[in-house]
Amino acid sequence: MHRKTLTELQAGLARGDYSARELAEHFIKRIQSLDPELNSFISITAEQALAQADAADAARARGEAGPLNGLPIAHKDIFCTRGVRTSCGSRMLDNFNAPYDATVVEKLQAGGAVVLGKTNMDEFAMGSSNETSYYGPVKNPWDLTRVPGGSSGGSAAAVAARLVPAATGTDTGGSIRQPAALTGITGLKPTYGRVSRWGMIAFASSLDQAGPMATSAADCALLLSAMAGHDPRDSTCVDRPVDNYSADLDKPLTGLRIGLPKEFFPATLDGRIADSTHAALRELEKQGATLVDISLPSVDLSVPAYYVIAPAEASSNLSRFDGVRYGYRCNDPQDLEDMFKRSRSEGFGAEVKRRILVGTYALSHGYYDAYYLKAQKVRRLISDDFVRAFEQVDVIMGPTSPELAFGLGAKSDDPVTMYMADVFTIAVNLAGLPALSMPAGVIDGLPVGVQVIGNYFREGQILNVAHRFQQATDWHQQQPAFGGDA
Ligand code: GLN
C-alpha cells in the first residue's frame, strides 16, 4: 500500500479495497519499524490516528466522505495540533502541547485526512539540513550518511521512504523545495497569502508559507485544494477563490513559454545537475513548450537580502519565548532577569541564537537604514525582476538546489556555505511567488530536483507543468532502497 500515491489510495478507499483503519495501521507499522533509523518523526500519534481513521470509515459508510477521507498524512512539527506536542524542533517548545489546531491542520482534517504524527525539522525552521533540530538530525533514506535537506527534512524523508504518502511543510527560503529535491519528492510552496499561517509557528512572517509535500504533482494538487483559502485569523491571507488544482493537470503544454534565467545556470553549477535540468526542459519542449532565455539581474542579491530580513523578523517573532507564558523555563531562577536570560539561553540552540543576534543588530537604531531598509529595497528590485520576466514567459525554471544531498556534518560548522543551499529558492520567497520542485533525475544514487516558478496565484499552472512531466517520465516513482517492502 505504501507504494501508492495519495490519488491511488483515494481510489482504493472509494472502491473498498481497504479501510482507512487498515491504511493507518499499515503506515504506523512502517513508521514504528523504520523511523528509528531515519528520525523523521518527533511524535507519532497512533492512537489519535486510529480514532480519526475509524471516524473516516464511519463517515464513508454514511455517504459523507470528504475529498481526503481516510488518507494518511503527517504535519511538520511547526503546525499547532491540539493536545499534541508542537515543538518546532526546539527545546524551547519540547513541553508545549498546543491548545488549538492550526488552520492548515483544521482544513486537512475537515477533508477527512488522518494524521499519523509530527515530523522533525530544523529548529524554528532555520536550516537547510535538518541538523539544527533539538531532536537530532534526520537521515536521507537514499543514503543514511547524508542529510535530507531542510528545514522540512522530516516531512521529506518520511515521504521519500514511504512512511507516509504525503506531509505538510513550510517554506521561508526554500524549506519545502530544497528537501523535496534532495529526497526525490514533489513539494510546492504556494503564493504568499494563499494558505493561512494561523497556528503555524512564525519564523519570518513576510516570507513563511505552508505547502504540500508528496510523491507526485497530482497529490500536491489534491492537498493544496484542501489547504488553501481565506482565513480571517491571518490578516495576510488573501480573500480570493481557491482553484480546483486538480482540474487542469492534464492540459497540453502547447505554447507554454518557459523562461530560463541565466542567473540560475552559473558556470559553477554542478554539471550533472545542469544536465538533468536540461533533459527535463527537452521533455517539456517535446510537449510543445518553448524555451526563452531571460535574466533576473537582482536575484544574485537574494541570499544577502534574505539573511537580513529573515533574521530581523525572527528576532521579533522569537521575543515571545520568555519563559513566562509557555515553553521552556530554566530551573531555580534567581530573579526575573535571570529567568529571561537563562530560559532563552538554555531553550534556544546555536543557529537560532545566531539569527536573533543578527536580526536584533540589523533592526537596531543607527543600523536599521543601512541593513534592514536596504534589504527591503533589494527585495523590491527582485520582485520587479520577476514581474518583468512574467510579461515575457509563463513559468520560470532551473535547478532547485545547487548540490545533491550532502554529508551529515559537512556544512554544520560553516553557516555561510549552508545558507548557499537556498541560492535558487530564496528569491521566490522574497517575491512571494509560487514554486515547486519535482524529481528530474538520479545521479550516483541521489535524486535531483528541478524548480518550476509560476506567476502570482498560478499554482495550477506549475502543477500542470509538473504533472505533464510526470506523465512522461518516471523520476518521481524512483524510490530509495531503504524501507523496501516491509
Ligand atoms: N534554509 C533557509 C534558512 O535557514 C530557509 C529555511 C526555511 O525556508 N524555513 O533560513
Side-chain angles (χ1 to χ4, degrees):
M1 288 191 270
H2 55 272
R3 297 280 179 214
K4 296 189 190 312
T5 65
L6 273 189
T7 318
E8 288 162 354
L9 292 172
Q10 189 187 38
L13 283 162
R15 280 194 305 267
D17 295 352
Y18 29 77
S19 65
R21 176 174 261 269
E22 284 167 332
L23 265 190
E25 281 171 346
H26 174 75
F27 282 102
I28 291 167
K29 229 195 280 149
R30 272 183 74 77
I31 296 169
Q32 284 168 342
S33 69
L34 295 167
D35 200 51
E37 244 184 303
L38 283 186
N39 197 29
S40 66
F41 279 82
I42 290 175
S43 305
I44 304 170
T45 52
E47 215 175 291
Q48 288 100 318
L50 294 177
Q52 285 172 359
D54 288 341
D57 285 330
R60 187 179 299 279
R62 290 193 306 271
E64 291 165 11
L68 305 177
N69 182 282
L71 295 178
I73 60 164
H75 288 301
K76 183 177 183 178
D77 209 18
I78 197 168
F79 293 98
C80 286
T81 41
R82 193 187 314 149
V84 174
R85 173 170 57 185
T86 300
S87 73
C88 219
S90 182
R91 182 183 194 189
M92 187 57 91
L93 290 174
D94 181 51
N95 64 3
F96 176 60
N97 282 339
Y100 61 91
D101 282 326
T103 300
V104 162
V105 172
E106 228 173 62
K107 279 180 173 287
L108 290 169
Q109 192 167 332
V114 171
V115 181
L116 305 185
K118 307 288 296 288
T119 58
N120 203 343
M121 55 180 286
D122 278 301
E123 185 177 7
F124 284 102
M126 298 173 187
S128 297
S129 67
N130 225 290
E131 294 168 296
T132 71
S133 170
Y134 173 59
Y135 302 90
V138 177
K139 298 190 180 127
N140 190 322
W142 292 83
D143 176 346
L144 299 176
T145 69
R146 292 175 191 267
V147 305
S151 64
S152 313
S155 289
V159 173
R162 273 51 173 186
L163 303 188
V164 65
T168 53
T170 63
D171 192 312
T172 303
S175 280
I176 288 177
R177 292 160 287 157
Q178 184 258 11
L182 271 46
T183 58
I185 67 165
T186 307
L188 169 72
K189 180 205 100 71
T191 307
Y192 183 78
R194 179 67 295 185
V195 174
S196 170
R197 291 184 296 109
W198 195 76
M200 184 176 117
I201 296 170
F203 162 13
S205 313
S206 76
L207 300 159
D208 298 342
Q209 191 59 198
M213 304 175 78
T215 58
S216 71
D219 285 2
C220 287
L222 182 65
L223 289 173
L224 183 64
S225 299
M227 291 166 75
H230 181 54
D231 178 5
R233 295 174 296 193
D234 169 6
S235 61
T236 62
C237 190
V238 177
D239 190 0
R240 171 187 171 115
V242 177
D243 300 336
N244 173 359
Y245 297 105
S246 305
D248 288 333
L249 287 173
D250 286 314
K251 232 173 76 185
L253 302 183
T254 327
L256 180 83
R257 296 163 303 169
I258 303 176
L260 305 180
K262 65 169 191 286
E263 294 78 7
F264 286 177
F265 297 87
T268 50
L269 181 64
D270 183 328
R272 303 167 303 171
I273 294 181
D275 288 348
S276 296
T277 310
H278 288 299
L281 291 166
R282 276 197 300 278
E283 170 55 40
L284 297 173
E285 262 187 307
K286 220 164 70 190
Q287 295 196 31
T290 50
L291 307 183
V292 185
D293 288 323
I294 61 168
S295 172
L296 302 168
S298 300
V299 296
D300 289 339
L301 297 171
S302 54
V303 172
Y306 173 89
Y307 278 98
V308 172
I309 294 168
E313 294 185 16
S315 72
S316 163
N317 276 323
L318 297 186
S319 65
R320 76 191 69 194
F321 300 104
D322 54 9
V324 177
R325 286 159 288 195
Y326 54 91
Y328 180 79
R329 179 182 297 171
C330 67
N331 281 328
D332 305 322
Q334 305 300 301
D335 52 30
L336 188 63
E337 183 159 335
D338 183 48
M339 188 199 68
F340 287 149
K341 254 197 204 154
R342 279 202 294 122
S343 297
R344 286 171 69 80
S345 319
E346 294 165 18
F348 290 135
E351 182 60 27
V352 174
K353 286 178 193 158
R354 178 168 19 242
R355 308 265 179 130
I356 293 173
L357 288 172
V358 170
T360 307
Y361 179 82
L363 289 176
S364 60
H365 182 72
Y367 293 106
Y368 179 89
D369 291 2
Y371 294 105
Y372 186 72
L373 210 60
K374 188 65 151 241
Q376 291 289 27
K377 290 178 181 168
V378 171
R379 181 176 189 172
R380 171 49 64 102
L381 293 176
I382 292 168
S383 306
D384 288 348
D385 278 0
F386 279 109
V387 168
R388 263 192 304 275
F390 281 118
E391 286 167 6
Q392 278 185 64
V393 299
D394 303 302
V395 298
I396 293 173
M397 290 182 61
T400 306
S401 160
E403 273 187 273
L404 303 174
F406 44 90
L408 285 155
K411 296 180 196 288
S412 30
D413 297 332
D414 185 355
V416 176
T417 317
M418 186 73 88
Y419 296 169
M420 293 311 286
D422 290 317
V423 64
F424 299 138
T425 49
I426 278 180
V428 163
N429 300 76
L430 291 169
L433 293 163
L436 66 74
S437 179
M438 60 182 189
V442 176
I443 297 168
D444 298 338
L446 297 171
V448 189
V450 163
Q451 182 172 219
V452 190
I453 305 170
N455 209 341
Y456 297 104
F457 298 103
R458 301 304 300 273
E459 285 81 0
Q461 183 162 43
I462 56 180
L463 285 163
N464 171 219
V465 172
H467 180 72
R468 292 291 306 205
F469 180 72
Q470 293 180 344
Q471 294 300 100
T473 58
D474 67 354
W475 297 117
H476 63 296
Q477 287 163 343
Q478 311 247 341
Q479 293 175 32
F482 177 87
D485 270 319

